[in-house]
Amino acid sequence: MTGRLLIRNADCVVTMDGQRREIAGGDILTDGGVISAVGTGLVAEGADIVDARGCVVTPGLINTHHHLYQTLTRAVPAAQDAALFGWLRTLYPIWGRMTPGDIRLSTQLGLAELALSGCTCSSDHLYLFPNGARLDDSIEAASDIGIRFHATRGAMSIGESKGGLPPDALVEDEAAILRDSARLVDAFHDPNPGAMVQVGLAPCSPFSVSRELMRDAAILARDKGVRLHTHLAENDEDIAYSLENFGMLPGDYAESLGWTGDDVWHAHCVKLSPGEIDLFARTGTGVAHCPCSNARLASGIAPVRAMRDAGVPVGLGVDGSASNDCSHLGLEARQAMLVARLRDGPSALGAREALEIATLGGARVLGRSDLGSLEPGKRADLVLWDVSELPGGGSWDPVATLIFCAPVRPRAVYVEGRAVVDDFHLQTADPADLARQAQVAVARLANG
């Protein structure tokens, strides 16, 4: 259990509550990892006091899509200028050389970077398991960094010899996939409020698994009470594949296999049609919007304005670090705002709505009603953004500074009331040491 913490005198507390209150000179009191009061002039005897002058305080940012293993394959020269399918074909052989130790290191590296960008909760989509690697490796590594972790058991079952995209060496038997999925949920999933680890089921994509596995994974997930996740409608190649092989658009294919509903979220959805957007809105199906990755791979710009207007739950995802190539959620929120305007005009997405997508939107997509806002009863996941530093100089609006002037550094990041970042420094790992270890791993992977 954690003690009492009183954060006071913030330049602004952005609550993201039902009224979207922004409290000047605001205070937040937490007790045992839960927010107990938000307001001004709060007093709490015996509480640890944190002076937040010069800071905007927000809920912790939530990352709804990542492939953390990819942090060891950033900026690979042969993949730098490729579209999705060519990018994958270039990287599959490198990923096939990874070890369980690489999975652990890449997870810590990516989560450390996320924490330093104000992220307090991240999902991860691990869908290949070379050389004895297991999802257990990433779950155990995540506990060292200290942010909440939504680990999804990905899978690929259709290799090149059967018309799929991945090499045969990286696919698995479908019965074994389902057995291991059930094992992982039983071993690690915590369904309770305040959970630090949750597990979801996540066959990689419609072009790397069978219809049967998609359907069976949905049945298993609902039997176990966990969420479903996959990639969908990412680019034109994705749409063409779906029409040629399934005779329908990706959203309709997903619905036919039980992959819509408020326990499902899909990554990207760049090419959703108006009918598919309506389907997602009616069923409460969520979307992980990954604007940096979509730009990096030239996939297109997701119709976020149309999704939001229709009522589709939308969160942000940095995506894998081999297609971004960084894990900075603040920059992702800025990119979301910019590309929405590029697509739909200068008023398509404001700074505060981008921040809402990065916090409350992510909580909804991941099914976390205990996260995403600063109000009594919610978990004490919050960020103190220092707007007195250079990026905030000259700004007229401290809240909009976080998006328009990003990157703004978090002075402190709290998860469950515990400081993961304090005085701008990660408390749970040495970033320089992680970077050194990563360079050693990269040299080995590059040499085969």
Side-chain angles (χ1 to χ4, degrees), residues 289-430:
H289 177 40
C290 307
C292 287
S293 176
N294 298 155
R296 158 79 155 78
L297 295 174
S299 298
I301 302 173
V304 169
R305 181 71 273 149
M307 292 182 195
R308 293 271 297 174
D309 288 346
V312 176
V314 178
L316 280 185
V318 299
D319 201 9
S321 291
S323 66
N324 186 325
D325 292 37
C326 75
S327 302
H328 195 296
L329 209 48
L331 291 177
E332 203 72 38
R334 184 176 192 267
Q335 181 83 341
M337 179 184 73
L338 296 179
V339 299
R341 294 172 177 219
L342 189 63
R343 178 188 172 106
D344 294 318
S347 63
L349 193 68
R352 283 167 171 79
E353 189 173 6
L355 183 59
E356 179 181 321
I357 292 170
T359 54
L360 202 59
R364 185 181 175 193
V365 165
L366 294 184
R368 295 298 298 257
S369 60
D370 55 339
L371 308 178
S373 62
L374 302 178
E375 50 190 323
K378 294 293 185 80
R379 312 311 295 192
D381 291 10
L382 46 94
V383 184
L384 279 61
W385 302 94
D386 197 323
V387 293
S388 69
E389 289 198 307
L390 190 61
S395 174
W396 292 35
D397 182 342
V399 177
T401 296
L402 304 183
I403 307 299
F404 276 101
C405 309
V408 178
R409 292 199 300 166
R411 184 190 297 175
V413 177
Y414 293 89
V415 178
E416 198 75 357
R418 296 182 287 263
V420 174
V421 173
D422 189 33
D423 193 25
F424 304 104
H425 291 94
L426 186 67
Q427 302 297 294
T428 53
D430 179 353

Side-chain angles (χ1 to χ4, degrees), residues 156-233:
M156 298 189 294
S157 65
I158 299 179
E160 288 177 309
S161 65
K162 295 182 179 179
L165 199 66
D168 288 349
L170 289 179
V171 303
E172 300 176 88
D173 172 75
E174 295 191 349
I177 290 166
L178 293 169
R179 285 195 300 271
D180 192 53
S181 297
R183 177 190 69 83
L184 287 160
V185 173
D186 292 341
F188 294 108
H189 180 69
D190 181 357
N192 299 301
M196 291 299 295
V197 176
Q198 293 196 340
V199 175
L201 304 189
C204 182
S205 65
F207 52 79
S208 58
V209 300
S210 71
R211 298 171 187 257
E212 290 74 22
L213 182 61
M214 291 287 287
R215 186 185 307 109
D216 290 346
I219 292 169
L220 177 61
R222 287 173 177 130
D223 179 62
K224 293 287 188 180
V226 300
R227 301 180 77 76
L228 288 162
H229 182 51
T230 193
H231 299 90
L232 202 77

Side-chain angles (χ1 to χ4, degrees), residues 27-350:
D27 305 337
I28 303 169
L29 178 63
T30 79
D31 193 350
V34 178
I35 296 170
S36 55
V38 179
T40 57
L42 299 182
V43 177
E45 288 189 17
D48 293 329
I49 306 295
V50 174
D51 190 335
R53 279 177 290 190
C55 292
V56 171
V57 182
T58 72
L61 307 187
I62 295 174
N63 178 37
T64 62
H65 184 64
H66 208 322
H67 308 293
L68 285 162
Y69 76 89
Q70 293 179 10
T71 52
L72 295 180
T73 51
R74 308 190 212 218
V76 172
Q80 288 177 14
D81 302 319
L84 176 62
F85 282 17
W87 174 87
L88 284 168
R89 290 190 177 100
T90 298
L91 292 171
Y92 278 141
I94 302 173
W95 295 335
R97 297 195 286 270
M98 296 182 78
T99 67
D102 293 328
I103 300 298
R104 288 191 289 270
L105 173 60
S106 61
T107 300
Q108 291 180 320
L109 185 67
L111 291 181
E113 189 177 15
L114 281 168
L116 287 166
S117 77
C119 178
T120 57
C121 177
S122 179
S123 66
D124 182 38
H125 188 187
L126 181 59
Y127 54 81
L128 45 78
F129 302 91
N131 306 306
R134 302 189 301 166
L135 189 62
D136 310 52
D137 300 316
S138 57
I139 292 173
E140 291 161 7
S143 67
D144 295 334
I145 302 301
I147 71 174
R148 300 187 197 275
F149 195 53
H150 281 237
T152 64
R153 206 297 183 183
M156 298 189 294
S157 65
I158 299 179
E160 288 177 309
S161 65
K162 295 182 179 179
L165 199 66
D168 288 349
L170 289 179
V171 303
E172 300 176 88
D173 172 75
E174 295 191 349
I177 290 166
L178 293 169
R179 285 195 300 271
D180 192 53
S181 297
R183 177 190 69 83
L184 287 160
V185 173
D186 292 341
F188 294 108
H189 180 69
D190 181 357
N192 299 301
M196 291 299 295
V197 176
Q198 293 196 340
V199 175
L201 304 189
C204 182
S205 65
F207 52 79
S208 58
V209 300
S210 71
R211 298 171 187 257
E212 290 74 22
L213 182 61
M214 291 287 287
R215 186 185 307 109
D216 290 346
I219 292 169
L220 177 61
R222 287 173 177 130
D223 179 62
K224 293 287 188 180
V226 300
R227 301 180 77 76
L228 288 162
H229 182 51
T230 193
H231 299 90
L232 202 77
E234 186 169 353
N235 69 1
D236 289 332
E237 289 176 296
D238 200 343
I239 304 303
Y241 184 94
S242 184
L243 291 172
E244 180 180 349
N245 289 274
F246 312 131
M248 61 184 83
L249 292 171
D252 299 321
Y253 179 66
E255 184 186 33
S256 73
L257 297 173
W259 275 76
T260 53
D262 62 7
D263 56 352
V264 182
W265 85 105
H266 295 285
H268 303 301
C269 297
V270 172
K271 299 293 181 176
L272 284 191
S273 68
E276 290 168 300
I277 291 173
D278 180 65
L279 168 65
F280 278 31
R282 285 187 285 106
T283 57
T285 305
V287 170
H289 177 40
C290 307
C292 287
S293 176
N294 298 155
R296 158 79 155 78
L297 295 174
S299 298
I301 302 173
V304 169
R305 181 71 273 149
M307 292 182 195
R308 293 271 297 174
D309 288 346
V312 176
V314 178
L316 280 185
V318 299
D319 201 9
S321 291
S323 66
N324 186 325
D325 292 37
C326 75
S327 302
H328 195 296
L329 209 48
L331 291 177
E332 203 72 38
R334 184 176 192 267
Q335 181 83 341
M337 179 184 73
L338 296 179
V339 299
R341 294 172 177 219
L342 189 63
R343 178 188 172 106
D344 294 318
S347 63
L349 193 68

